[in-house]
Amino acid sequence: MLILATQDNPVAVAKIKEIAAAAGFRAAEKWNISSILSASKGKAIKTSGWEITNAGKLHLRNLGVSKISPAAMQVAVDLRAHLDKISDDETRSFVEEAIKCHEAELYRSAIVMSWLGAMDVLHKYVCANRLANFNTEATRIMGRKWKVAVTSDDLGKMGESDFLNRIEGLSIIGKNVKAQLKAALDLRNGCGHPNSLKVSANKSAAHIETLLENVFQKF
């Protein structure tokens, strides 16, 4: 039904399978689409093709899913798959909330929450693996302005842009990754304050994908 929710007109079975395959569902060709949708209890009906009903749209909304492109939704699917690998409860909570926001079309919120999750990951990685090096580098750059960090929360007292500079200086991330993360930070800042900025599903998906590939899957 999610595929139908992304379409404005009735969709043929062949087209549904094509969209599903493009979204990464490898078994789509073997699905009995008509049988599956016929069993949806009125949530989808067949006219000139298959289309979702108002009851079906309400069902998806109750699940936290609405009209969003398969490509954008696939990012949320990939991030959900990564949830099982996140052992830290706090980080997992950030990421799960970001996914729910993205699925519910709350894209500005999704961008902010996914960024918070990514920074949480980076802070905890540095605290667990490179804290002494980080403090040395921060003190070298900032002098007495930097109070030596002991916990990951202490690392959060440094501005996020400065933090990215410090971890690049320690080769924890590379120059190009830092550039991508700073762009993500700029978007997060734009979404986190009252303004007229509008964000689409694809913009949110691209932001989440950047964090997924360069932070969540790496650290």
Side-chain angles (χ1 to χ4, degrees):
M1 286 195 298
L2 173 59
I3 291 172
L4 296 180
T6 67
Q7 308 301 306
D8 294 322
N9 300 302
V11 187
V13 167
K15 184 63 175 178
I16 293 173
K17 289 185 176 182
E18 178 185 331
I19 295 171
F25 296 98
R26 298 179 181 177
E29 187 58 39
K30 299 178 181 179
W31 293 349
N32 187 330
I33 301 294
S34 293
S35 177
I36 293 170
L37 294 177
S38 295
S40 68
K41 299 180 179 180
K43 296 180 180 68
I45 58 173
K46 188 174 183 180
T47 54
S48 57
W50 282 98
E51 59 182 301
I52 194 167
T53 64
N54 287 334
K57 292 175 183 178
L58 179 60
H59 176 67
L60 289 178
R61 173 63 71 182
N62 289 337
L63 293 175
V65 181
S66 188
K67 189 170 182 178
I68 183 171
S69 73
M73 183 54 66
Q74 187 60 44
V75 174
V77 171
D78 291 343
L79 200 52
R80 277 199 180 280
H82 190 74
L83 271 179
D84 292 337
K85 302 176 184 178
I86 300 176
S87 58
D88 185 86
D89 290 340
E90 188 174 351
T91 303
R92 185 184 180 91
S93 177
F94 282 131
V95 175
E96 191 162 19
E97 188 167 342
I99 296 169
K100 290 178 179 178
C101 288
H102 181 75
E103 292 173 336
E105 301 180 68
L106 303 173
Y107 303 127
R108 288 173 63 132
S109 297
I111 287 167
V112 171
M113 293 308 301
S114 58
W115 176 260
L116 291 176
M119 288 303 296
D120 194 53
V121 168
L122 290 172
H123 284 159
K124 286 173 179 172
Y125 174 84
V126 169
C127 187
N129 300 278
R130 303 290 299 276
L131 188 58
N133 297 135
F134 183 91
N135 279 320
T136 298
E137 180 70 0
T139 300
R140 183 182 71 82
I141 299 295
M142 301 174 64
R144 293 182 179 179
K145 292 182 179 180
W146 176 245
K147 183 178 179 180
V148 173
V150 177
T151 68
S152 60
D153 285 347
D154 293 337
L155 295 174
K157 296 175 183 177
M158 179 179 286
E160 292 168 326
S161 182
D162 289 337
F163 176 79
L164 294 176
N165 287 335
R166 299 295 83 77
I167 63 175
E168 185 217 352
L170 294 171
S171 298
I172 295 172
I173 60 173
K175 178 180 178 180
N176 292 329
V177 170
K178 185 186 78 170
Q180 289 297 311
L181 293 182
K182 285 207 170 186
L185 172 59
D186 287 341
L187 180 59
R188 178 267 174 210
N189 289 338
C191 290
H193 300 92
N195 55 57
S196 60
L197 177 66
K198 295 186 182 299
V199 181
S200 68
N202 289 337
K203 190 72 169 180
S204 173
H207 174 86
I208 293 173
E209 186 174 45
T210 294
L211 300 180
L212 179 64
E213 292 181 347
N214 293 287
V215 179
F216 294 116
Q217 290 182 349
K218 184 174 180 180
F219 298 97

